[in-house]
Amino acid sequence: MAINRKLGRPTDQRLAILKNQTTDLILHSKIETTESRAKEVKSIVDSIIALAIKEKDNFEEVEVKVIKAKLDSKGNKETEKVTSKNGKEYLRVVKEKTTEKRQKDMPSRLNARKKIMTKINKVKDKDGKNIDIPAKLFNEIAEKYKDRVGGYTQIIKMGSRRGDNAEKVILKLI
């Protein structure tokens, strides 16, 4: 007997649909879909959120040495004229050494991050920058549901779809 619903699709298409809908639900907190897909996505999202809640505080602060380009008041890189061994002059960027505090994931949190990334897609915002969905899960969503033991999502029935009479629902994070 199958563990998951087949959803009338080949395996690769079914997994792609579930990944897309899981990602959309985490990003937008609400999606509209069919009832059978919503039930599958609900189980995936609930397990991801439970994992994020379990590992949300499992990191340590580490000081890291960072070498950056020195910036002027306008935000441009500062340069200096340097002469090479053969007598040619060129511009070299001035660098400064600093230390920064960063979060270092402990091994179990790193494993949780990898598990989450297998169940969601990578997403970019309007500017083309990557959105760190695991960070959103650990920082925002896990904080929101930290006192809750389960049931992070809710399915609200909307009625039948006009074309094929499929039951439409809204799946949202509570």
Side-chain angles (χ1 to χ4, degrees):
M1 184 170 174
I3 297 172
N4 299 0
R5 292 174 177 80
K6 300 288 184 176
L7 303 175
R9 304 279 176 155
T11 305
D12 57 341
Q13 290 177 12
R14 180 176 62 249
L15 294 177
I17 288 170
L18 294 175
K19 266 185 161 186
N20 284 336
Q21 289 191 338
T22 302
T23 305
D24 287 343
L25 182 61
I26 291 170
L27 278 178
H28 306 295
S29 302
K30 182 177 175 180
I31 59 171
E32 186 176 312
T33 185
T34 62
E35 187 175 13
S36 56
R37 287 182 188 174
K39 288 180 180 177
E40 285 300 307
V41 172
K42 178 182 171 68
S43 68
I44 294 169
V45 170
D46 283 348
S47 67
I48 286 174
I49 292 174
L51 188 60
I53 290 170
K54 180 181 170 193
E55 298 293 335
K56 76 178 177 73
D57 293 326
N58 197 5
F59 62 89
E60 62 184 2
E61 291 285 328
V62 179
E63 286 197 15
V64 180
K65 293 179 184 176
V66 179
I67 300 174
K68 292 184 182 177
K70 193 173 185 181
L71 303 177
D72 61 6
S73 60
K74 296 179 182 176
N76 298 326
K77 294 179 182 176
E78 286 187 15
T79 57
E80 63 184 3
K81 253 187 188 175
V82 180
T83 307
S84 66
K85 292 178 183 175
N86 58 2
K88 294 186 179 179
E89 290 186 346
Y90 64 95
L91 293 175
R92 182 174 67 185
V93 176
V94 178
K95 297 188 177 181
E96 61 184 358
K97 295 179 182 177
T98 59
T99 58
E100 289 181 356
K101 285 196 168 203
R102 294 191 179 167
Q103 286 184 356
K104 179 184 173 192
D105 289 346
M106 299 303 279
S108 61
R109 181 172 167 149
L110 185 61
N111 186 34
R113 184 179 290 273
K114 288 178 181 179
K115 283 181 183 178
I116 289 169
M117 287 304 294
T118 61
K119 296 180 182 182
I120 59 174
N121 290 327
K122 293 181 180 177
V123 182
K124 296 188 179 209
D125 62 1
K126 296 175 189 172
D127 301 329
K129 296 180 182 176
N130 287 333
I131 298 173
D132 192 5
I133 296 177
K136 180 178 180 175
L137 278 165
F138 289 130
N139 299 335
E140 296 171 24
I141 296 176
E143 277 297 319
K144 183 178 173 183
Y145 297 120
K146 66 182 175 187
D147 299 327
R148 207 174 176 98
V149 181
Y152 310 110
T153 55
Q154 180 181 19
I155 296 177
I156 302 168
K157 294 188 179 189
M158 294 176 48
S160 299
R161 188 161 52 195
R162 186 179 169 117
D164 60 356
N165 207 27
E167 186 69 29
K168 282 178 41 178
V169 298
I170 294 175
L171 178 62
K172 66 178 188 174
L173 296 175
I174 297 176

